[in-house]
Amino acid sequence: MIKKILLLLCFSILVISCKKDCYTAPEKVVFEFVNASGENLMENGIITSVGITEDTGVGVEVTKTDDYKVILQRVGSFNGTKNYRIASVVQFVDFSIRSSNVTTDCDGYQIDEINFQNTDATKEAGYYRIVLD
C-alpha cells in the first residue's frame, strides 16, 4: 500500500513539474553616441566613458564594443517603466525603458519601447544612435 502511494506521489510530482523550464531575456540595448555630423564620439576620443544610472541612483553596467558602441547590461527585466540618465562629458540624456512579460510559454521579459528626452535618437539595425551636442 505504501509503495502505491509513493509511486502515485512521484508520478504526480513528475506530471506537475513538466512545465517548460525556460527564460526569455530581453533584447540587448546598444547605444552609439554621435555628434550632429554623425561622427562617433567614442571613436574620435571625445567620450572616453559613459555613466548610466536608474532614477533611483543605481548604476547600470555597460560594456564597450569594438565598433565604439556600448551595451547596457541587465536592463529590461521588469514589468513596467524605468527611467534612466546617461552622463557624458558632452551632455546628460534622460530616457525610459518600458518592458512587459513575454507572451510565450516561457518566463521572461521583452522591451516594448525606449523613449529619449532632450536629444535626437533613432533606432537603427540593432542599436540606438544618440546625437549628443
Side-chain angles (χ1 to χ4, degrees):
M1 180 69 174
I2 299 258
K3 283 185 179 181
K4 288 181 182 181
I5 292 174
L6 286 175
L7 186 59
L8 182 60
L9 183 62
C10 288
F11 182 72
S12 298
I13 291 173
L14 184 64
V15 169
I16 291 171
S17 66
C18 283
K19 182 186 176 211
K20 280 189 175 182
D21 187 24
C22 59
Y23 177 77
T24 302
E27 66 188 57
K28 278 198 282 187
V29 176
V30 182
F31 292 161
E32 176 186 39
F33 301 105
V34 299
N35 61 19
S37 301
E39 299 169 331
N40 186 303
L41 296 173
M42 293 182 82
E43 185 174 8
N44 66 18
I46 292 175
I47 294 178
T48 56
S49 66
V50 173
I52 300 178
T53 56
E54 291 183 25
D55 62 357
T56 60
V58 175
V60 174
E61 182 182 342
V62 297
T63 303
K64 292 181 185 178
T65 66
D66 293 336
D67 60 347
Y68 303 101
K69 295 179 178 76
V70 293
I71 300 171
L72 283 63
Q73 303 295 326
R74 295 182 284 286
V75 295
S77 294
F78 54 86
N79 192 12
T81 301
K82 285 191 179 182
N83 297 310
Y84 298 87
R85 173 167 272 190
I86 300 168
S88 73
V89 296
V90 178
Q91 180 181 346
F92 289 97
V93 175
D94 296 318
F95 69 99
S96 61
I97 297 177
R98 184 171 50 87
S99 299
S100 62
N101 294 323
V102 294
T103 57
T104 64
D105 289 340
C106 293
D107 290 332
Y109 300 94
Q110 61 190 10
I111 294 176
D112 300 317
E113 186 175 40
I114 299 179
N115 287 313
F116 296 88
Q117 292 81 41
N118 63 338
T119 194
D120 290 329
T122 56
K123 185 170 183 175
E124 304 290 332
Y127 67 97
Y128 290 85
R129 177 175 280 187
I130 302 168
V131 179
L132 302 177
D133 285 322

